[in-house]
Amino acid sequence: MSPPHIKEILESDARFSAKSCLALEKYVDAQVADGTYDLEANLAILKLYLLHPEETKLSILQDVLLKALMAFPATDFSLCLFQIPEKQMEPVQNVFELAQQLEMAKFANFWKLAAEIDRLDAYGGWEDQGREF
């Protein structure tokens, strides 16, 4: 469940304003730090990046995709992926490849690729979520 200030953004026209990027980006950072997950807010920041591509932060894209990946086998990752333009996929290609390995149950390759993604170290308990899949 979103905190009140995020819920206010999601339920108003501010959802489509570039001015909301900073608050939603900070919320993504908070999700990484405290281990929470809010798909609706994460989809909202991706939609804002579609509407205002100059605001895009690749680190936030990566974090949103990694959070969605940890929700496997739910379809959250696919929902997020469809919100990212192809030209922005290259920097997050490693996360996409990681998801492919998990979906195809190629667990040895999954763990090998996961070891190469330094950003995963910021996610407490991601290994357990990967094993639960």
Side-chain angles (χ1 to χ4, degrees), residues 47-117:
K47 180 63 82 176
L48 277 174
Y49 286 168
L50 277 175
L51 297 172
H52 308 281
E54 69 281 0
E55 299 292 330
T56 302
K57 292 187 178 149
L58 296 176
S59 62
I60 297 295
L61 283 180
Q62 186 178 40
D63 285 339
V64 168
L65 287 175
L66 287 170
K67 292 300 284 183
L69 180 64
M70 288 190 262
F72 260 32
T75 59
D76 297 10
F77 187 82
S78 294
L79 290 171
C80 292
L81 201 58
F82 292 132
Q83 299 294 318
I84 300 174
E86 190 174 332
K87 66 182 179 182
Q88 293 177 337
M89 283 300 295
E90 186 177 334
V92 293
Q93 187 66 31
N94 57 351
V95 180
F96 178 68
E97 291 171 6
L98 191 64
Q100 285 181 319
Q101 298 304 307
L102 191 58
E103 282 183 321
M104 294 185 295
K106 294 185 176 181
F107 299 115
N109 288 341
F110 170 81
W111 292 111
K112 181 181 174 186
L113 286 172
E116 297 172 8
I117 300 177

Side-chain angles (χ1 to χ4, degrees), residues 1-10 27 30 38 41:
M1 181 170 212
S2 303
H5 71 288
I6 298 298
K7 191 172 184 177
E8 184 178 319
I9 290 171
L10 298 177
Y27 185 47
D38 187 336

Side-chain angles (χ1 to χ4, degrees), residues 4-16 20 23-24:
H5 71 288
I6 298 298
K7 191 172 184 177
E8 184 178 319
I9 290 171
L10 298 177
E11 294 176 352
S12 70
D13 289 342
R15 180 182 190 118
F16 304 105
S20 299
L24 289 169

